[in-house]
Amino acid sequence: MVQKFKKYACVVAMSLVSGIVSVHADDAKSKKPLKIYILSGQSNMQGKARVRTIERLKMTEDSRSLYNDIMGKEGKPVTVKDTYAVYYTTSRGGNVFKGPLNPGYGEDYEADRTNFGPEYTFGIYMQKHLKEPFLIIKTAWGGKDLVRQFRPPSAGELPMMQSKIEKYKATGTLDAERAKHKDGTGEYYRMMMGHVKDVLKDPEQYHPAYDKGAGYEIAGFVWFQGWNDLVNGFYKESGAPMETMYTPYTGLMASFIRDVRKDLDAPVMPFVIGVLGVGGPTDASDKMHWFRQAQAAAAEMPEFKGNVRAVLTENSWDMLLKGIHNKLQAAAAEKVKTDHPEVARKPRAAQNLRSKYYKELMPTVLTPEELKLKQAGESNAGYHYNGSAYIYGNIGKAFAEAMIELNGN
C-alpha cells in the first residue's frame, strides 16, 4: 500500500511540474453501478391508495411530515428525483409500465394513473438516504399465495389437498385437475423471476442513468404478501391448532429467500419481509396473530442474521380511522339488535343490515371531524389497507428504513 501511494505521489508531483494536470469533474467522479431494488407480492404490494387520500395526512400531527415529503411545492405529489420504476402485472393487461417514480404504479389502473402502493414512499425515503439514481422493479399480482402460486422451486412438489382429490374423483376430472395443479405450482414465482431478468438484460431501457461500464447492483428485495395464505385451506386441512397451523409458511419463506438469491446470483442480497398488517395490532386469540408470527420467523433464522428483516406493517395501520370504523360498527349492530331483534339471530341477514346501517348512520353517529377524516382517509376495502395513503405511505417508509439498515450491514 505504501509503495503504491509513493508511485501515485511521484506521478502527481511530476505532472504538476510539467503543468499537464487537468482535473475534470467526470474523471474525478467514478461511475457507480446502478442500484436496483425488487418489490414483489400480491394485492398489498400492488397498492390501492388513491392520490386523494393524501389529504388525510394533513389531519393529524403524526402524519404531517409524511405529507410534506410526498407533496411538492406546487401542491402535487412529487416525482422522485433520479428514481425510476418498472411495473409488471397481468391484471393491468400484461403491459410494462415504466418511467420516473410517482403515483401511478399501483393497482385499479385508471387513465390518469393516480394509484400507488408502498413503492412510492419507499422510493422517496431511499432517495433521501442514497442521493443517487436507482431503479425499482415491481412485480405483483392480486390474490396469490406462497404455498402454491409463488411456491419457490426448492420447496418441491405441492401435494393436492385431500378434499380436492375427493371432489375431483367424484366428477371424474382428477387427472386433468392434477395436471392443472402441477402447472400452476410456482407459476407466479417463474413469472416474477422472468420479468426481473428481462429488465436486468438491459437496464438502460428503464433508467437513463444506467452506465454499461459500471453495470448494476441488486441492492435489495422487498416481499409483501400473505392474505391468500392466511385464508388458504391448505394450512387448515393439516388439523394443526391455530398456534402452529401456519408453521409451513416459515419454511416456504426461507426457501423463497434462498431461491431468489440463487436465481439472481446475489447470495447475501438484503431482504425485507413485509408482515401482513390488515386491521392493525391483534392478539393471540386471532389466527392472524399466528400467521404473522410464522411470516416473521424466517427473519430470525441464524442463516439470515443481519441480511433479512421483518417489518410489522400492523404498526402502520391508521388507528384513528380504525376507531371511527369500530364506532360505526357498534352503532349499526345496536340498531339491528333494537329495531330487528328477529334478524339479529340470523348471521347473514344481520350482516346485510349492519352494512346498510353502517353507511346510513355516518352523518349522525360521527362528529364532523371524524366524518371528514373517514371520507379523506380511505378509498378501498380494509383487506386492501383501506386504499389509504396513510397506511401505504408509512409502510413504504418502514420498508425503506429497514432496507437502509440492511444495506449498512
Side-chain angles (χ1 to χ4, degrees), residues 162-291:
Q162 192 59 40
S163 57
K164 290 189 175 182
I165 291 174
E166 298 304 323
K167 174 186 172 183
Y168 298 138
K169 268 185 181 177
T171 57
T173 58
L174 182 58
D175 289 344
E177 292 297 335
R178 276 194 193 279
K180 282 185 195 175
H181 176 79
K182 187 174 181 180
D183 290 344
T185 299
E187 177 186 5
Y188 284 85
Y189 179 94
R190 295 188 293 273
M191 287 171 66
M192 170 193 74
M193 200 53 64
H195 175 58
V196 170
K197 288 184 176 181
D198 281 345
V199 174
L200 296 180
K201 285 175 189 173
D202 187 12
E204 193 172 14
Q205 284 190 45
Y206 306 96
H207 202 306
Y210 175 71
D211 179 79
K212 287 183 180 178
Y216 63 80
E217 169 196 351
I218 299 175
F221 193 111
V222 180
W223 174 249
F224 191 27
Q225 180 273 345
W227 184 266
N228 275 65
D229 284 270
L230 173 72
V231 299
N232 196 307
F234 168 84
Y235 300 93
K236 190 175 180 180
E237 193 173 76
S238 69
M242 184 168 62
E243 293 81 358
T244 58
M245 184 192 306
Y246 296 107
T247 300
Y249 190 99
T250 305
L252 286 168
M253 191 75 259
S255 293
F256 185 91
I257 295 168
R258 293 185 203 108
D259 287 358
V260 165
R261 286 173 167 176
K262 180 183 175 183
D263 286 342
L264 296 175
D265 194 22
V268 290
M269 174 185 66
F271 196 104
V272 172
I273 303 167
V275 177
L276 187 67
V278 172
T282 186
D283 59 36
S285 65
D286 190 330
K287 68 177 183 178
M288 190 179 290
H289 169 84
W290 299 105
F291 178 72

Side-chain angles (χ1 to χ4, degrees), residues 6-7 72 85 112 129 141 157 172 192 194 225 234 245 258 261 268 323 330 348 358 381 392:
K6 283 181 177 176
K7 281 185 180 179
D112 56 357
H129 174 73
W141 297 269
E157 188 176 343
M192 170 193 74
Q225 180 273 345
F234 168 84
M245 184 192 306
R258 293 185 203 108
R261 286 173 167 176
V268 290
R348 180 165 291 188
Y358 182 96
Y392 281 112

Side-chain angles (χ1 to χ4, degrees), residues 349-395:
Q351 175 59 43
N352 290 338
L353 264 181
R354 283 196 299 270
S355 298
K356 176 177 177 285
Y357 288 141
Y358 182 96
K359 294 177 182 177
E360 290 179 0
L361 290 170
M362 280 186 204
T364 54
V365 169
L366 302 182
T367 66
E369 291 77 16
E370 288 172 334
L371 185 59
K372 185 179 177 184
L373 189 139
K374 180 171 173 57
Q375 289 171 339
E378 59 186 19
S379 64
N380 210 297
Y383 52 81
H384 285 149
Y385 292 78
N386 292 335
S388 161
Y390 181 102
I391 300 174
Y392 281 112
N394 279 299
I395 288 173

Side-chain angles (χ1 to χ4, degrees), residues 277-344:
V278 172
T282 186
D283 59 36
S285 65
D286 190 330
K287 68 177 183 178
M288 190 179 290
H289 169 84
W290 299 105
F291 178 72
R292 290 171 178 174
Q293 296 280 313
Q295 276 194 301
E300 301 302 317
M301 297 171 72
E303 68 181 288
F304 298 139
K305 186 177 180 180
N307 56 54
V308 176
R309 169 65 61 84
V311 171
L312 303 181
T313 67
E314 64 194 71
N315 296 332
S316 296
W317 199 257
D318 191 337
M319 297 306 291
L320 189 54
L321 189 56
K322 182 175 181 175
I324 293 169
H325 170 71
N326 290 345
K327 183 178 178 180
L328 274 170
Q329 274 196 323
E334 185 60 31
K335 188 165 177 63
V336 170
K337 186 178 174 183
T338 304
D339 295 358
H340 303 278
E342 77 288 353
V343 176

